[in-house]
Amino acid sequence: MYKNKNGTWCSDFIMDGVRFQRRYPNSTETEALKLEKEWKEAIRKGVWETNVSSARGVMKLSEALSFLHDRYWKYLDDTTHYRVCLNRVIKAIGDKEVSTLTTADLYELKDKMLNKGVNGKIYSPHSFNSSLVALGTALRILEGLEVVKFKSKPNFKGLQARQVIPKRPALRDDELLKTKEFLYNRAKKSKALSSVEIYELFIVLSNLGLRPAEYFAIELGDISFEYDTITISKAVKTHKGVGTIIGAPKNGHSRTLPCGENVMEVFRNIRHRLEIARSVSKVEALKLLREIKGNDVLRMTYYWVSQGAYDNCKDLPLDKCPITHLNHDTANRMWWAVRNHLGYLGTSNTHGLYVLRHTVASRLVKLKGFNAYKLMAFMGYSDIKSSLHYIHLNVDDIRDGVGISV
């Protein structure tokens, strides 16, 4: 039993020459140890191998779904993804026997989901691709376990649908300044902690280019006040049927980023608020609020503490305290006012919070010596193509190329 970098307890052991691995999301160490013990007992009694043996032979897609869910997928962070995707496949082509699936069935799946419709519904290319990948994963596992033997193994090559992904724009320099001024004035006038925190989110995201989900998972201990750096090793994830959990970043790797003075000033203010919140009770904070005159920052901190805004940090070590109360819903709702202030009206999400990530990427590549590989490391990508998707340049940015000739 060990704890991975995302805080999830995991089993990894060998019995009778076979390696067994499993994760226990949202379980404490005691719960995980109990589940591991029960699992080992089941293996010793032969229940595990019996389940595989009994599955060999004729197996329909629905039976494969149940078998794989019980053996693998129920231990994933998102327990519903594969079930939803395979149920789409079953609705489209029927509950066929797995061993008889052919490439023709895959083309039928594509035609029905994208063109003819399934029960009157046309699916998006993204939904089709997700279903195709889930089916491919299921067949690969079943074949590896020798649960099924294909009469004519289906070929998935070249079947994925082409997705047209709208490219988000980047904010201009004047728009960044306008946004900063708007959020700063709003934070000064409002008594709401969320108004201050959305301003802090803007400062951090517009300098570091973090994914919003990464920012919402930051704890005070992730910030090095000695070296002016921050380590991004977690992200907030939302799954249907599971709720909000803390998991790994999108590419599964952590990264450490340098922070400028304006970002560190935000982090120092947050640390100061947390230290005050942990040092006084709500009653004491209310009393100090009435006594202190003139210091608006300190008075607002006592006000928020007296209102119970920091109750969730009382029993946590300081380095485990989250730096914000914002989440995807509240932050996006508050960012909508920024979009309107900049004149981007309508329901399009092209100027949502992610526009700050695109803006940082576009500004970084304009720096002398900041190449695509540095950008890849800074943005937290393992694929350079993904990093280049975030770059937006205009004619002035490429004017340096004028005069280059043979």
Side-chain angles (χ1 to χ4, degrees), residues 356-373:
L356 296 175
R357 186 166 166 81
H358 287 251
T359 302
V360 170
S362 299
R363 290 165 69 92
L364 286 174
V365 295
K366 297 175 188 178
L367 299 177
K368 187 176 180 180
F370 206 98
N371 57 40
Y373 291 97

Side-chain angles (χ1 to χ4, degrees), residues 70-81:
D70 291 339
R71 185 179 172 101
Y72 290 106
W73 295 336
K74 70 179 181 181
Y75 300 105
L76 299 178
D77 290 341
D78 184 355
T79 59
T80 61
H81 173 73

Side-chain angles (χ1 to χ4, degrees), residues 86-100:
L86 286 186
N87 276 326
R88 286 188 201 133
V89 173
I90 294 170
K91 288 178 183 177
I93 62 174
D95 194 9
K96 295 190 175 184
E97 186 182 331
V98 177
S99 61
T100 63

